[in-house]
Amino acid sequence: MGLLDVFRPDQVVHGVTSIDLDALAERGIEGLLIDVDNTLIAHGVGELTPERLDWAERAVERFRVCLVSNSMTGRRMRRLANTLGIPGLAVWHWDRKPFTGGVRRAMRLIGSTPRTTAMIGDQVMTDILAGNRAGLHTIWVQKIAEAESIFTRILHRPLEGRIVKRLGCRHEDATEAEEASPDEA
Ligand SMILES: [Mg+2]
């Protein structure tokens, strides 16, 4: 165990569509908390791509799912949650990721516990750290696009780059086997 282990994702995948839902169910996961920006949709984009929509619908059929987005207004998050027919939380102030208040509230919303919940997100400094601190199974996806908030770009990404390098976590190392879910093969 090292000091940086609180940042270490349990799983590293290329993107949400690479997440093996069967494997998650087999490990006892019942609830999914999913980040919005650059995890499900690109920054500033409102609609899911057909591939991600298909994955999200399959996830919603099988798991209790809640969106958790660091956002003051949560407008895009709410639209997405409505599309998928699931709850969503816009978390800010002391509830925002990497704090654990929002994550805990989301678990209460879907009636799941840390042991049976996975946190899925593109940022180690917020999504993964919050998930690990709350005791969830954490899955780090590669960000969808380069564009992101200036806050993320300046405050989080440089530090994230240094930490994942020390941890030896790279999306490039995510295996093809992890990528292909049985439905897509
Ligand atoms: Mg994000």
Side-chain angles (χ1 to χ4, degrees), residues 103-125:
V103 167
R104 287 180 212 282
R105 263 207 294 148
M107 283 192 289
R108 278 201 296 277
L109 268 181
I110 59 171
S112 69
T113 63
R115 206 170 45 80
T116 60
T117 309
M119 173 78 221
I120 302 167
D122 70 298
Q123 285 198 59
V124 165
M125 304 303 297

Side-chain angles (χ1 to χ4, degrees), residues 26-175:
E26 273 164 33
R27 64 184 308 149
I29 297 297
E30 296 166 0
L32 305 180
L33 308 187
I34 312 180
D35 170 57
V36 172
D37 281 304
N38 253 342
T39 296
L40 281 176
I41 49 183
H43 185 73
V45 172
E47 305 289 333
L48 287 160
T49 62
E51 294 77 19
R52 289 195 200 98
L53 177 62
D54 174 68
W55 177 87
E57 284 176 342
R58 281 190 290 121
V60 168
E61 267 172 34
R62 256 179 109 166
F63 300 88
R64 299 196 291 274
V65 184
C66 184
L67 303 180
V68 186
S69 178
N70 277 1
S71 163
M72 258 191 293
T73 66
R75 224 171 287 130
R76 292 166 65 243
M77 182 278 297
R78 233 177 316 276
R79 248 185 75 194
L80 200 55
N82 287 341
T83 301
L84 295 170
I86 57 174
L89 276 185
V91 291
W92 201 241
H93 293 300
W94 299 105
D95 258 359
R96 74 184 192 275
K97 302 165 285 185
F99 300 107
T100 57
V103 167
R104 287 180 212 282
R105 263 207 294 148
M107 283 192 289
R108 278 201 296 277
L109 268 181
I110 59 171
S112 69
T113 63
R115 206 170 45 80
T116 60
T117 309
M119 173 78 221
I120 302 167
D122 70 298
Q123 285 198 59
V124 165
M125 304 303 297
T126 58
D127 306 311
I128 302 304
L129 182 53
N132 282 346
R133 289 167 86 185
L136 279 62
H137 177 73
T138 50
I139 305 174
W140 186 37
V141 303
Q142 190 159 21
K143 63 179 176 182
I144 292 172
E146 281 305 315
E148 48 196 357
S149 75
I150 189 146
F151 191 68
T152 298
R153 196 147 41 84
I154 292 185
L155 204 65
H156 293 312
R157 291 297 186 193
L159 203 52
E160 175 185 274
R162 294 215 295 276
I163 287 172
V164 297
K165 198 172 168 197
R166 287 276 297 278
L167 290 172
C169 294
R170 306 188 327 151
H171 289 109
E172 291 83 342
D173 296 333
T175 61

